[in-house]
């Protein structure tokens, strides 16, 4: 089956709620950004994700329940990548904080009925779209330190998600989360996870230090050695 090309153009959409759009560089119709300054690299110790905002004008166009499910998907995917790539979030931790604001600025739902009707002969033809705006704010000063606008539509990777209104948008949210966290990662100070130092210190074939196991017994943390 094929996921046929859609006729609708794809382009980023501003929320007009960011602190500023001055200096926004354009990378085609599907990505725009204000790159973090070099002075911010390694400056932040924590990252806190604010509740995802669905723009009211977008919410008004969506089927019942789609908006809430999409906000939850964007939030969970971003938090997952923050935890995976950066090792931790800012909840309950001291240090210089980075606040991440995510706004859903455009959504195109899948036409489920159309995709069902066309699947037998030619495959699904209706493709979902998503546009996000990700703003990074210095939590101490309230100053914007980076901005990322992304937009895209479904492709062959998403063919199995062609039969729910928000299937494609949620798949795109996962890919956008990876891009967003990669974008802000240089600003965040690296942090070693429990046991990570010991894993890296090991030479091939050598025996692991007893320190991670000792820390586990003491309830401090667990080793990441595998």
């Amino acid at each position: 089956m094929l996921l046929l090309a859609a006729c609708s153009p794809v382009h980023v959409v501003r929320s007009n709620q960011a602190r500023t759009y001055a200096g926004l560089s354009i990378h085609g119709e599907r990505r725009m950004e204000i790159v973090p300054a070099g002075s911010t690299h390694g400056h932040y110790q924590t990252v806190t994700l604010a509740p995802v905002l669905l723009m009211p004008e977008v919410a008004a166009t969506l089927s019942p329940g789609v908006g809430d499910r999409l906000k939850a998907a964007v939030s969970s995917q971003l938090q997952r990548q923050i935890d995976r790539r950066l090792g931790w979030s800012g909840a309950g931790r001291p240090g210089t904080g980075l606040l991440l604001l995510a706004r859903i600025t455009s959504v195109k739902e899948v036409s489920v009925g159309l995709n069902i009707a066309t699947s037998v002969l030619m495959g699904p033809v209706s493709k979902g779209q998503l546009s996000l705006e990700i703003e990074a704010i210095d939590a101490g000063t309230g100053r914007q330190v980076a901005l990322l606008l992304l937009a895209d539509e479904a492709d062959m990777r998403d063919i199995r998600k062609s039969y729910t209104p928000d299937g494609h948008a949620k798949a795109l949210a996962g890919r956008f989360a990876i891009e967003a966290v990669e974008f802000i990662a240089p600003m965040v100070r690296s942090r070693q996870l429990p046991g990570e130092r010991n894993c890296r210190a090991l030479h091939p074939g050598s025996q692991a230090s007893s320190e991670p196991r000792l820390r586990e017994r003491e309830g401090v943390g667990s080793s990441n050695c595998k």
Side-chain angles (χ1 to χ4, degrees), residues 132-152:
L132 284 186
E133 180 178 272
I134 311 288
E135 186 175 23
I137 301 292
D138 185 303
T141 65
R143 179 177 59 90
Q144 181 196 90
V145 292
L147 183 66
L148 179 65
L149 282 71
L150 297 169
D152 208 348

Side-chain angles (χ1 to χ4, degrees), residues 61-193:
T61 68
L62 301 179
S63 301
V66 168
D68 289 339
R69 292 196 300 269
L70 196 49
K71 285 193 295 182
V74 171
S75 180
S76 64
Q77 291 289 348
L78 281 170
Q79 191 62 61
R80 179 186 180 192
Q81 293 303 323
I82 290 170
D83 294 341
R84 173 180 290 182
R85 174 71 188 268
L86 306 179
W88 51 315
S89 64
R93 297 179 182 271
T96 308
L98 189 67
L99 178 64
L100 211 59
L101 307 177
R103 307 177 183 104
I104 301 171
T105 57
S106 180
V107 179
K108 179 188 175 186
E109 294 183 27
V110 169
S111 175
V112 176
L114 179 60
N115 281 349
I116 292 173
T118 60
S119 288
V120 175
L121 294 178
M122 64 182 70
V125 298
S126 175
K127 298 166 65 173
Q129 299 178 2
L130 179 68
S131 180
L132 284 186
E133 180 178 272
I134 311 288
E135 186 175 23
I137 301 292
D138 185 303
T141 65
R143 179 177 59 90
Q144 181 196 90
V145 292
L147 183 66
L148 179 65
L149 282 71
L150 297 169
D152 208 348
E153 64 181 355
D155 58 28
M156 284 299 297
R157 290 172 288 181
D158 311 310
I159 193 167
R160 294 180 182 271
K161 300 178 175 67
S162 299
Y163 304 100
T164 58
D166 52 356
H168 288 169
K170 288 193 288 188
L172 291 167
R175 297 204 282 273
F176 287 175
I178 294 172
E179 288 190 60
V181 174
E182 287 179 349
F183 182 68
I184 67 166
M187 296 188 287
V188 183
R189 194 172 305 171
S190 62
R191 172 180 176 269
Q192 289 179 336
L193 299 175

Side-chain angles (χ1 to χ4, degrees), residues 13-104:
V13 179
R14 299 184 186 185
S15 72
N16 293 323
Q17 294 197 7
R19 302 297 196 274
T20 181
Y21 294 93
L24 191 67
S25 59
I26 301 174
H27 299 267
E29 294 184 339
R30 303 188 181 192
R31 182 180 176 116
M32 298 182 184
E33 60 190 40
I34 297 176
V35 178
S39 60
T40 66
H41 286 195
H43 179 71
Y44 296 97
Q45 294 175 280
T46 66
V47 180
T48 301
L49 177 63
V52 174
L53 176 64
L54 175 65
M55 301 307 295
E57 60 272 21
V58 178
T61 68
L62 301 179
S63 301
V66 168
D68 289 339
R69 292 196 300 269
L70 196 49
K71 285 193 295 182
V74 171
S75 180
S76 64
Q77 291 289 348
L78 281 170
Q79 191 62 61
R80 179 186 180 192
Q81 293 303 323
I82 290 170
D83 294 341
R84 173 180 290 182
R85 174 71 188 268
L86 306 179
W88 51 315
S89 64
R93 297 179 182 271
T96 308
L98 189 67
L99 178 64
L100 211 59
L101 307 177
R103 307 177 183 104
I104 301 171

Side-chain angles (χ1 to χ4, degrees), residues 198-210 213 225-226:
N198 304 70
C199 296
R200 291 179 176 175
L202 292 175
H203 294 289
S206 66
Q207 294 296 318
S209 164
S210 62
R213 290 190 292 273
C225 298
K226 296 183 179 179

